[in-house]
Amino acid sequence: MTSPMRSLFTDPARYLQSFRLFLANSTEHQCMREFMERQLPAVIASIGNGKSTINILSVGGGAGEIDLLILSKVQARHPGVTINNDVVEPSADQIVKYKERVAETTNLENVKFTWHEETAYEYESRMNAEKNSKKWDFIHMIQMLYYVKDVPATIRYFHSLLEAQAKLVIILVSGFSGWETLWKKYGSSFPLDDLCCYVSSADIKRILDSAGLKYQLHELPSYMDITSCFIEGNKDGELLLDFLTETCEFSKTAPPELKRQVMEELRKPECSETRDGKVLFNNNLSVIVIEP
């Protein structure tokens, strides 16, 4: 008998709903913002040294919230420089939101935006077909490597586009996060389709080490409040469970035994801690800064 479980990505509206709830219930963006405020200025100090134009490529730029923060830091570090900011993002909906955000933001006179509604792989294929090997001063891939088919090849390709003093920054879940524990144990039981794969910073480190690339790793502590997941019939809890398992309607379609095990796992110290009556899932992130 085939399982009624299906990937959350088969329902884009529900995916977006659960993703927004995840952002609202987690310190995901706060911990990234903190990194951008405190540590990014040093990371971007050498990019585009002495150039009148800095070229930035955002791969999987989403709705642009973190991108605009990055741009403000580049502007502060390299005042008066023209910035070309190219965005590769497959979701038309996200691009619309990104453009709205740009329209509402001041001090972007020296930034030229170009949006490409395509996946990282489609971008690579198009550039190869056009024999275009444009180099970049700064490339960032934030929370997007889960959606590429061949992670090592994707990293190799974008790394090959770096200028001499450029940086490639990857942000994704930490190898020391609850995600790593949950997915290494139960990933094979979830209905992942080919739209998404599970990777953490532990996998990226192995890839970079075997390729002999130089990088620095920064750990960002983060958590997600998943207390509502343990309240039977709670709508927000069901959406967060969908997000955790990448499964559409997980609590309704998962076999009872799998659901019981996952709920048990989520309470374990490897995944979450209980504080003031709340269950806080370990959502730690890693920032990997790769040299040319």
Side-chain angles (χ1 to χ4, degrees), residues 62-93:
E65 189 179 341
I66 301 295
D67 282 23
L68 292 185
L69 184 56
I70 290 172
L71 286 170
S72 72
K73 295 301 162 200
V74 175
Q75 286 174 311
R77 199 74 185 71
H78 304 276
V81 165
T82 300
I83 299 170
N84 290 322
N85 187 68
D86 277 39
V87 182
V88 175
E89 169 55 54
S91 162
D93 181 55

Side-chain angles (χ1 to χ4, degrees), residues 206-219:
R206 279 193 289 275
I207 292 166
L208 298 176
D209 289 339
S210 68
L213 295 177
K214 278 172 61 185
Y215 62 92
Q216 291 98 40
L217 189 79
H218 306 266
E219 288 286 318

